[in-house]
Amino acid sequence: TQMLSFSQFLNERSDHNNRIRVISGWSVVMTLHGVDRDKERMNSLDDDKWNMFFERVVKKIEGFKVASSGEYLYSSMGLKINAVLNVDIEKKQIRVITVLPPNRAIPKPGTKKILVEGIEYIMIEIE
């Protein structure tokens, strides 16, 4: 299966099938609102950056074993992406709720913030 370019993805957004991509076994769904905000706020982002972002998000979810599904603001300083994502652990599904401007990562109150780059925690077993 060939991955849609993000501009195609945006242009054909009315067709639901074009709003889903699979990253490392997780389905990533753009809501229409998410697509509109992306178009409005992140016009310069290309496919590769989005794919890198979602790969980092999945790594973070799996690496830290995020136990509960829910809405989180995932931020990438390097890629300058701030996206509010609904994570469903059981379905292995990520829904992009909205995309915030690159320099304004202020979600609605109560949204947990997770940085996709940062300190990797290493567990050391002491015998």
Side-chain angles (χ1 to χ4, degrees):
T1 56
Q2 187 213 346
M3 190 163 293
L4 274 176
S5 84
F6 213 74
S7 51
Q8 271 180 294
F9 186 69
L10 293 173
N11 292 337
E12 298 170 12
R13 68 189 175 82
S14 55
D15 177 356
H16 182 72
N17 296 327
N18 289 330
R19 292 191 287 120
I20 299 177
R21 56 176 67 197
V22 176
I23 306 275
S24 305
W26 285 67
S27 59
V28 178
V29 182
M30 282 298 263
T31 60
L32 283 176
H33 177 78
V35 171
D36 285 340
R37 291 301 76 75
D38 172 70
K39 244 182 166 159
E40 174 188 316
R41 297 168 174 165
M42 303 294 292
N43 223 358
S44 59
L45 269 195
D46 59 24
D47 256 16
D48 292 343
K49 280 192 180 167
W50 275 112
N51 291 337
M52 278 167 62
F53 175 71
F54 291 128
E55 277 165 20
R56 290 176 189 181
V57 166
V58 167
K59 241 188 208 143
K60 203 68 161 184
I61 293 168
E62 292 182 340
F64 286 115
K65 303 281 182 273
V66 173
S68 58
S69 299
E71 284 189 14
Y72 300 90
L73 169 66
Y74 279 87
S75 295
S76 167
M77 308 288 268
L79 298 171
K80 293 184 171 52
I81 300 176
N82 295 300
V84 177
L85 308 177
N86 180 288
V87 177
D88 187 324
I89 306 290
E90 248 105 88
K91 287 185 188 167
K92 286 186 89 163
Q93 185 186 72
I94 297 166
R95 293 178 70 242
V96 180
I97 305 301
T98 192
V99 179
L100 299 173
N103 51 357
R104 229 187 102 251
I106 306 166
K108 68 181 185 204
T111 306
K112 295 185 188 89
K113 297 180 185 183
I114 297 174
L115 189 63
V116 296
E117 302 98 347
I119 302 161
E120 297 299 325
Y121 291 93
I122 301 162
M123 287 233 340
I124 300 165
E125 265 185 48
I126 300 168
E127 297 195 5

